[in-house]
């Protein structure tokens, strides 16, 4: 896939700069991190930007990208696949990180290896059903394998609502509001995910509440993660931190930060 060399250099430079910021933030031991904590991974959020940018990032070494709209993500992922850009031996992993309507699960399991925005029981059921259908069609040689097939399961992260000023209600993501389940629902959802064939509970995800100090919010997320891990030790991922608050998220134990604008440049509001 063709891309502009200057743009590729810009993306590579910014990607490396964010990696340095992450490495620096990882030396902060004032919160949840210890000497032995791993350096968080960087997921590049490529929403709004063209597939050619993703191709440039892949060539620079990026193997993990995030998207928040199925329609856009499915097109980009298939464009890159058609180009045989990401090979089976060295795949590009697409994470779905946005509010997800249940009827889009069918499409998402085709290209996403993980979903970071699982916030309600009905979505768990839809993802499990979609994964099972795709798998049986693959086994009947009617369709490609689900994207997560090589890993053995679709990783699901439970999105937690950290905003204490709103009353959380299941399914609000589907209603178009800022997504996230309440803390009490986390354990129930984890049970449901672990009980579903083809799904695996990988941890928790959150977006810091708008206009509030992110530190106490991310500290709460860390506590929820600890609680979850008591019963599900494998669910050890904490997906937290964006361009504006990644240091705070890392201080509180983020294992994967989702960075868009600091690497890609700014996008129109609400994208
Ligand atoms: C867009 C988006 C990001 C990246 O945001 P930036 O501020 O551009 O880094 C991270 N997480 C989610 C869920 C997003 O929708």
């Amino acid at each position: 896939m063709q891309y502009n060399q200057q743009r590729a250099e810009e993306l590579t430079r910014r990607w490396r700069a964010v990696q340095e910021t992450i490495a620096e933030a990882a030396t902060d031991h004032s919160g949840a991190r210890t000497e032995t904590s791993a350096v968080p991974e960087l997921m590049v959020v490529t929403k709004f930007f063209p597939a050619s940018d993703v191709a440039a990032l892949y060539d620079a070494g990026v193997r993990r990208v995030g998207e928040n709209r199925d329609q856009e993500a499915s097109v980009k992922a298939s464009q890159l696949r058609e180009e045989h850009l990401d090979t089976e031996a060295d795949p590009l992993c697409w994470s779905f990180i946005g509010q997800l309507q249940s009827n889009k699960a069918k499409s998402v399991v085709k290209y996403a290896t993980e979903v970071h925005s699982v916030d309600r029981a009905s979505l768990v059921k839809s993802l499990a059903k979609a994964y099972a259908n795709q798998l049986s069609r693959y086994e009947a040689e009617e369709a490609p394998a689900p994207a997560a097939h090589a890993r053995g399961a679709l990783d699901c992260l439970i999105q937690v609502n950290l905003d204490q000023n709103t009353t959380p209600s299941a399914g609000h993501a589907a209603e178009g509001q800022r997504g996230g389940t309440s803390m009490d629902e986390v354990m129930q959802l984890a049970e449901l995910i672990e009980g579903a064939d083809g799904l695996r509970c990988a941890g928790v995800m959150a977006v810091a509440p708008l206009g509030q100090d992110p530190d106490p919010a991310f500290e709460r997320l860390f506590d929820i993660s600890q609680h979850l891990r008591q019963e599900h030790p494998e669910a050890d991922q904490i997906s937290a931190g964006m361009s504006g608050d990644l240091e705070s998220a890392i201080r509180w134990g983020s294992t994967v930060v989702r960075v868009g604008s600091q690497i890609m440049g700014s996008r129109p509001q609400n994208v």
Side-chain angles (χ1 to χ4, degrees):
M1 182 173 290
Q2 295 287 314
Y3 52 80
N4 176 294
Q5 207 50 46
Q6 209 177 331
R7 173 66 173 157
E9 280 162 22
E10 175 186 59
L11 290 172
T12 306
R13 192 177 62 245
R14 292 202 193 137
W15 175 55
R16 294 210 178 112
V18 172
Q19 284 178 310
E20 278 171 31
T21 306
I22 291 170
E24 174 65 32
T27 63
D28 178 350
H29 296 148
S30 67
R33 295 185 59 81
T34 66
E35 300 283 347
T36 57
S37 305
V39 174
E41 278 192 49
L42 170 57
M43 174 202 298
V44 184
V45 179
T46 50
K47 66 187 184 197
F48 177 76
F49 290 93
S52 57
D53 277 358
V54 185
L57 287 164
Y58 182 88
D59 287 346
V62 171
R63 292 294 177 270
R64 197 169 184 183
V65 293
E67 288 279 339
N68 72 336
R69 289 180 191 200
D70 170 60
Q71 212 178 352
E72 179 184 342
S74 59
V75 171
K76 281 193 232 173
S78 68
Q79 282 173 328
L80 293 190
R81 245 192 335 263
E82 276 159 25
E83 298 270 336
H84 300 288
L85 179 107
D86 64 312
T87 62
E88 226 162 272
D90 195 9
L92 176 64
C93 292
W94 296 81
S95 302
F96 194 85
I97 61 169
Q99 296 163 7
L100 182 55
Q101 291 174 322
S102 293
N103 61 4
K104 299 285 169 61
K106 247 193 350 256
S107 168
V108 167
V109 299
K110 291 180 188 168
Y111 60 84
T113 54
E114 49 177 26
V115 176
H116 283 216
S117 42
V118 175
D119 62 351
R120 60 195 190 278
S122 60
L123 181 57
V124 175
K125 287 178 195 146
S126 303
L127 287 168
K129 190 173 157 205
Y131 191 90
N133 280 343
Q134 188 73 26
L135 188 61
S136 61
R137 290 182 57 217
Y138 168 66
E139 284 165 351
E141 296 180 11
E142 291 167 9
H149 184 53
R151 304 170 159 219
L154 178 70
D155 282 328
C156 294
L157 279 74
I158 299 169
Q159 185 171 358
V160 177
N161 186 347
L162 296 177
D163 194 344
Q164 294 182 314
N165 297 329
T166 61
T167 320
S169 69
H172 51 179
E175 289 154 20
Q177 293 168 26
R178 197 156 255 240
T181 187
S182 79
M183 306 186 189
D184 303 333
E185 288 172 299
V186 171
M187 299 308 287
Q188 276 167 274
L189 280 181
E191 290 296 323
L192 208 57
I193 293 165
E194 284 297 327
D197 279 343
L199 306 187
R200 180 164 56 209
C201 183
V204 291
M205 177 273 210
V207 176
L210 279 174
Q212 294 172 32
D213 178 4
D215 266 82
F218 287 136
E219 185 176 3
R220 277 203 303 286
L221 182 65
F222 179 71
D223 291 341
I224 294 165
S225 166
Q226 295 284 90
H227 192 65
L228 175 66
R229 288 185 66 187
Q230 283 170 11
E231 287 189 27
H232 302 277
E234 312 289 307
D236 60 354
Q237 297 293 304
I238 301 178
S239 167
M242 317 196 335
S243 292
D245 55 24
L246 66 96
E247 285 97 341
S248 164
I250 291 170
R251 184 175 307 123
W252 293 108
S254 169
T255 63
V256 52
V257 296
R258 311 175 308 267
V259 177
S261 48
Q262 246 191 66
I263 296 169
M264 310 303 294
S266 54
R267 33 171 208 274
Q269 283 224 300
N270 298 320
V271 179

